Amino acid sequence: MRILILNGPNLNLLGRREPEIYGHQSFEDFFKELQKQFGQHELEYFQSNHEGALIDKLHEVGFTYDGIVFNPGAYTHTSIALRDAIAGIESPVFEVHISNLAKREEFRQISYVKDVCVGSINGMGLKGYEVAIEELQNMERA
């Protein structure tokens, strides 16, 4: 399987940004672990703080990749454009959030992308990415 791990704004600061919420590990280090754990798959990683770059990446891979694991960050709660980009592609997209959105500020409990994703995981820390990849594997087998 070809799977894109797509991270939105501020996730480039993982390991340094609010470690009490997001942990102490950088995503680049975690991605190396994912590549080892899921060595049978071709994993690609892309992160941007720019909404348009995220949309462009979804358009670029959304008709050829077997799945996308997407943490839109704060754009989850604001971006109809990302929602429309996900709705417009064929690759299944799985939404992931490191923190538990239900226990955060009220505005973070709204997801504009959830209804166009094949699933959503939040509150599991970085483990949520692993679970999302496993779910995409299960979909492929079904």
Side-chain angles (χ1 to χ4, degrees):
M1 289 182 73
R2 290 179 74 192
I3 298 173
L4 172 67
I5 310 294
L6 184 61
N7 275 342
N10 301 311
L11 290 163
N12 57 305
L13 296 178
L14 285 178
R16 297 181 286 169
R17 171 190 177 213
E18 301 174 278
E20 67 281 0
I21 297 174
Y22 300 106
H24 295 278
Q25 187 174 27
S26 74
F27 198 85
E28 290 75 14
D29 288 343
F30 177 67
F31 184 68
K32 290 174 188 171
E33 294 175 15
L34 283 177
Q35 288 177 305
K36 288 178 187 171
Q37 181 177 350
F38 295 99
Q40 73 275 28
H41 301 304
E42 182 182 334
L43 299 182
E44 179 183 331
Y45 172 56
F46 182 82
Q47 186 278 329
S48 181
N49 294 316
H50 304 280
E51 184 178 29
L54 297 169
I55 292 168
D56 289 344
K57 194 66 171 178
L58 287 165
H59 291 175
E60 176 188 330
V61 306
F63 295 92
T64 56
Y65 279 46
D66 299 302
I68 300 168
V69 176
F70 188 21
N71 184 339
Y75 288 136
T76 303
H77 324 293
T78 64
S79 182
I80 295 168
L82 280 173
R83 183 214 176 278
D84 290 349
I86 295 167
I89 62 175
E90 294 175 359
S91 299
V93 178
F94 213 100
E95 178 188 21
V96 172
H97 296 283
I98 296 166
S99 66
N100 184 344
L101 301 181
K103 294 186 176 185
R104 306 266 325 259
E105 302 91 339
E106 189 174 329
F107 69 87
R108 291 191 198 275
Q109 297 174 26
I110 298 166
S111 172
Y112 282 103
V113 301
K114 187 175 185 174
D115 69 320
V116 292
C117 291
V118 296
S120 182
I121 296 173
N122 72 85
M124 294 185 72
L126 293 174
K127 177 120 178 106
Y129 290 87
E130 296 173 30
V131 173
I133 293 169
E134 290 167 358
E135 289 297 320
L136 288 170
Q137 284 179 149
N138 293 338
M139 288 176 57
E140 180 81 0
R141 291 183 192 133

